[in-house]
């Protein structure tokens, strides 16, 4: 089983990202579970959401303590939230930032990868909403999920132009993190 | 592994949506509810269905509070309408007085309870204190382990509750947030299959100006006791119906979540972990690890808390060396959870002699990690070997905060 933790701020769509990831994983032939860090959500406050992906149906209901992967939507969170908490040594942390991974100085043995998702979102979608973009980066970085499945899930959730733009942005982030595009 | 053809029917949706969909296909005539976290998404989805014209012959009554919601449904049910509501926590507590009326008037109102802690201190997270505190109101209470079961319980509950020999209201309990807000693969109940499974509501007695009757009228000491007796009889008659309806459901839908109880690795189990609701999934994962090491641990799921399946519980635990009961509630003043107390009580006059210990767990949404379940199992193994030292206690208490 793979566990993913998504860090964001209230209003950035962390829960939607976790949910889209679970929809895409199921479409990929896996079983999945997505849930928010249940709380009293407020716009701008740090929030977390989780996805589990497994080959078999998922019965586990406890919180995620040792994620395989972490996605950070907003690099300003690094100042106040320990995004590397509990991440497995062979895990991956993906951060939306213009910085290089080593300059983030995260206290972890996991691999840290960065992508300027905000730029991708501004260039292609036209708004600084990076939740879907980072799922493209996740697919590219981890290989846990087909990028087409994510694009399909996003198109189904946001039909028409919005979904199309998001699908393109997802592809761009996928390519960027794989070094297939600059 | 899940059959690929069955998998094709599954979709990943939020638990609340799946439950609202399930309520919809049960063809309610009147829905009344007041939004309260974490139940809100259920009633939002239902009002969307109503606005979209997706529930024929159904009225959604907006109310100013939960007391009015249940009161509206009492009236609606008395004229023969199939009724639905959903609530939680303080909302359910606010209904308390009318819950007795619903059952006393023998009205099969059905509601989903997205179980949540009760205040003070205010807390919006999951435990079972809200529903357990309604245990004497005369409502059937079934607890769901996952989203699919929370959905599947609704048509089952209507069928049980509306049976002319039962005629009692019912709560379909699901863990707030843990199940109401999770996205996971489920089969949304098919309208056609639900219509095959669940006949329309045909009560023997209804309020009708052409044939006047009185519901919930004055009952003096010479008659009141018999009303109470008949309520209890109806609850007893619900016991076999819950089993039978679960099997009928399986025949139509191909899914079975247990009748009154359900066992997991139970047949040869020396240590049995008993509980209700979504925590059972986590427990089963831990039990799998013990089984892989050759240790005979099993799980007893209690699906029906009311009526309480005494006979089935006694039979299920009779060969165990020790039993541990995990309760997401506490009766303050006994230091015990309700399932623990009642399990001990039903064993006392039986021939079954097995030590039983209890833990009250997950208060106000305190997470229950696999390590804590393993800790509980280790303690129960000690009880099997050398007897009880602590009968009932809190799990994962933070001593440093006291």
């Amino acid at each position: 089983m793979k566990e993913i933790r998504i860090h964001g701020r209230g209003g950035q769509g962390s829960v939607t990202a976790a949910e889209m990831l679970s929809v895409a994983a199921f479409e990929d032939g896996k079983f999945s579970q997505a849930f928010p860090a249940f709380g009293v959500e407020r716009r701008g406050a740090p929030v977390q959401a989780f996805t589990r992906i497994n080959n078999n149906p998922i019965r586990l209901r406890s919180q995620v303590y040792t994620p395989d992967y972490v996605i950070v939507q907003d690099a300003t969170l690094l100042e106040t939230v320990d995004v590397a908490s509990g991440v497995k040594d062979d895990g991956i942390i993906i951060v939306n930032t213009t910085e290089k991974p080593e300059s983030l100085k995260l206290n972890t043995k996991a691999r840290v990868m960065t992508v300027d998702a905000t730029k991708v979102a501004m260039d292609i979608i036209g708004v600084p909403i990076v939740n879907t973009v980072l799922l493209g980066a996740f697919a590219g970085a981890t290989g846990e999920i087909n990028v087409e499945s994510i694009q399909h899930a996003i198109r189904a959730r946001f039909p028409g132009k919005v979904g199309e733009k998001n699908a393109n942005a997802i592809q761009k982030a996928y390519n960027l993190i794989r070094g297939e595009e600059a | 592994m899940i059959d690929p053809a069955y998998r094709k029917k599954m979709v990943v949706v939020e638990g609340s949506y799946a439950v609202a969909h399930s309520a919809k296909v049960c063809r309610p005539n009147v829905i009344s509810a007041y939004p309260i976290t974490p139940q809100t998404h259920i009633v939002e989805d239902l009002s969307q269905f109503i606005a979209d014209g997706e529930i024929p012959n159904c009225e959604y009554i907006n109310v100013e509070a939960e007391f009015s919601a249940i009161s509206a449904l009492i009236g609606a049910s008395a004229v023969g309408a199939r009724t639905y509501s959903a609530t939680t926590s303080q909302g359910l507590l606010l209904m308390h007085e009318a819950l007795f009326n619903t059952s006393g008037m023998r009205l099969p109102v059905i509601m989903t309870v997205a179980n949540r802690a009760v205040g003070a201190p205010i807390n919006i997270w999951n435990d079972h204190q809200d529903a357990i505190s309604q245990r004497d109101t005369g409502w059937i209470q079934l607890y769901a382990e996952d989203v699919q079961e929370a959905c599947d319980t609704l048509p089952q509950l209507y069928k049980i509750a509306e049976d002319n020999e039962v005629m009692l209201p019912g709560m379909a309990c699901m863990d707030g947030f843990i199940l109401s807000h999770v996205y996971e693969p489920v089969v949304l109940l098919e309208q056609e299959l639900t219509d095959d499974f669940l006949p329309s509501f045909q009560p023997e007695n209804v309020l009708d100006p052409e044939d006047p009757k009185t519901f919930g009228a004055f009952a003096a000491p010479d008659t009141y006791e018999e009303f109470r007796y008949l309520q209890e009889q109806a609850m007893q008659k619900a016991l076999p119906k819950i089993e039978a309806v679960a099997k009928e459901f399986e025949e139509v839908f191909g899914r079975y979540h247990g009748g009154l109880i359900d066992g997991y690795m139970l047949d040869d189990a020396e240590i049995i972990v008993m509980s209700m609701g979504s925590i059972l999934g986590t427990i089963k994962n831990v039990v799998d690890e013990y089984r892989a090491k050759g240790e005979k641990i099993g799980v007893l799921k209690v699906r029906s808390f009311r009526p309480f399946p005494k006979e089935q519980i006694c039979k299920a635990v009779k060969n165990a060396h020790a039993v541990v009961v995990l309760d997401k509630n506490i009766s303050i003043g006994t230091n015990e959870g309700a399932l623990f107390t009642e399990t001990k009580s039903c064993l006392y006059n039986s021939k079954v002699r097995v030590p039983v210990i209890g833990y009250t767990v997950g208060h106000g949404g305190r997470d229950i990690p696999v390590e804590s379940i393993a800790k509980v199992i280790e303690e129960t193994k000690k009880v099997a070997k050398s007897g009880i030292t602590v009968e009932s206690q809190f799990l994962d208490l933070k001593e440093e905060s006291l």
Side-chain angles (χ1 to χ4, degrees), chain A residues 72-119:
Chain A
V72 184
Q73 296 210 64
D74 184 335
T76 63
L77 286 167
L78 302 183
E79 295 159 23
T80 50
V81 180
D82 180 11
V83 300
S85 168
V87 186
K88 293 199 176 82
D89 288 352
D90 60 353
I92 299 176
I93 301 173
I94 302 166
V95 185
N96 169 30
T97 176
T98 54
E99 304 277 322
K100 293 237 170 324
E102 50 278 13
S103 62
L104 298 178
K105 297 192 168 42
L106 291 182
N107 180 22
T108 180
K109 286 186 179 140
R111 183 172 179 198
V112 180
M113 300 175 84
T114 61
V115 59
D116 190 354
T118 306
K119 182 172 189 307

Side-chain angles (χ1 to χ4, degrees), chain A residues 1 15 19 22-23 25-36 38-40 55-63 65 157, chain B residues 1-2 7 10-12 124-125 145-147 177-179 181-185 264 278 281-282 284-285 288 365 367-370:
Chain A
M1 183 156 67
V15 178
E19 171 197 325
S22 70
V23 171
F26 186 71
E27 194 165 295
D28 249 12
K30 308 263 179 65
F31 283 88
S32 55
Q33 178 193 67
F35 56 99
F38 318 121
V40 190
N55 289 326
N56 296 312
I58 299 167
R59 295 181 304 202
L60 187 65
R61 298 291 175 188
S62 64
Q63 288 169 22
Y65 294 97
R157 172 72 182 258
Chain B
M1 206 48 213
I2 291 212
R7 194 189 151 95
M10 299 176 106
V11 287
V12 177
I124 60 166
W125 291 268
E145 181 178 342
D146 55 25
V147 173
F177 283 120
I178 298 171
L179 296 184
H181 283 55
V182 74
Y183 279 73
E184 65 184 22
Y264 181 77
S278 68
T282 307
K284 287 174 183 175
N285 271 18
D288 279 354
D367 192 40
I368 306 160
V370 291

Side-chain angles (χ1 to χ4, degrees), chain B residues 164-358:
Chain B
N164 275 327
E165 292 195 332
V166 178
M167 291 300 284
L168 289 171
M171 294 179 198
C173 299
M174 68 188 293
D175 285 326
F177 283 120
I178 298 171
L179 296 184
S180 64
H181 283 55
V182 74
Y183 279 73
E184 65 184 22
V186 288
V187 178
L188 295 175
L189 267 68
E190 299 88 343
Q191 185 68 67
E192 210 172 287
L193 292 183
T194 311
D195 288 342
D196 286 348
F197 171 78
L198 180 63
S200 63
F201 178 34
Q202 302 287 351
E204 275 177 19
N205 297 301
V206 290
L207 283 183
D208 178 1
E210 303 292 313
D211 178 20
K213 289 189 177 75
T214 304
F215 280 61
F218 187 76
D222 64 333
T223 53
Y224 183 84
E225 183 166 325
E226 284 67 34
F227 276 97
R228 297 297 273 166
Y229 173 78
L230 289 171
Q231 243 179 309
E232 176 56 38
Q233 287 299 104
M235 202 52 106
Q236 294 306 320
K237 283 178 186 159
L239 283 164
K241 307 258 184 216
I242 292 169
E243 297 268 353
V245 166
K247 291 206 173 81
E248 281 172 48
F249 186 89
E250 185 183 18
E251 281 162 25
V252 176
F253 290 89
R255 291 188 295 274
Y256 181 74
H257 309 281
L260 293 158
I261 60 168
D262 197 28
Y264 181 77
M265 305 274 176
L266 203 53
D267 291 347
D268 63 343
E270 292 168 0
I271 302 293
I272 293 176
V273 186
M274 263 176 90
S275 201
M276 307 195 292
S278 68
I279 190 190
L280 288 157
T282 307
I283 296 172
K284 287 174 183 175
N285 271 18
V286 178
V287 164
D288 279 354
E289 287 171 29
Y290 275 94
R291 285 280 170 175
K293 293 186 283 183
E295 296 196 41
K296 291 178 178 168
I297 319 287
V299 184
L300 176 56
K301 160 179 173 169
V302 176
R303 186 165 174 257
S304 174
F305 182 66
R306 281 292 178 274
F308 195 66
K310 298 180 184 180
E311 201 186 310
Q312 288 75 11
I313 288 173
C314 286
K315 200 171 156 224
V317 305
K318 70 177 191 309
N319 295 323
H321 299 175
V323 175
V324 60
V325 186
L326 306 187
D327 267 288
K328 282 188 177 178
N329 70 88
I330 183 168
S331 176
I332 304 284
T334 64
N335 193 31
E336 293 180 2
L339 184 61
F340 174 56
T341 303
E342 299 201 5
T343 297
K344 284 194 301 175
S345 155
C346 77
L347 291 174
Y348 186 79
N349 283 331
S350 76
K351 293 203 169 70
V352 181
R353 281 293 162 264
V354 49
V356 188
I357 58 166

Side-chain angles (χ1 to χ4, degrees), chain B residues 93-169:
Chain B
L93 302 194
L94 189 55
M95 289 183 178
H96 182 70
E97 177 188 340
L99 295 181
F100 282 96
N101 287 322
T102 322
S103 177
M105 288 189 232
R106 309 292 296 278
L107 301 171
V109 174
I110 299 301
M111 68 174 157
T112 295
V113 178
N115 295 110
R116 170 187 142 179
V118 299
I122 190 165
N123 176 296
I124 60 166
W125 291 268
N126 165 249
D127 67 29
H128 291 166
Q129 197 67 55
D130 53 357
I132 294 294
S133 301
Q134 312 310 319
R135 67 177 166 179
D136 297 335
T137 57
W139 284 57
I140 295 168
Q141 288 192 5
L142 302 183
Y143 286 78
E145 181 178 342
D146 55 25
V147 173
Q148 189 70 66
E149 187 179 356
C151 297
D152 295 352
T153 296
L154 286 180
Q156 293 188 34
L157 207 40
Y158 276 113
K159 197 164 191 167
I160 298 156
E162 291 173 358
D163 188 297
N164 275 327
E165 292 195 332
V166 178
M167 291 300 284
L168 289 171

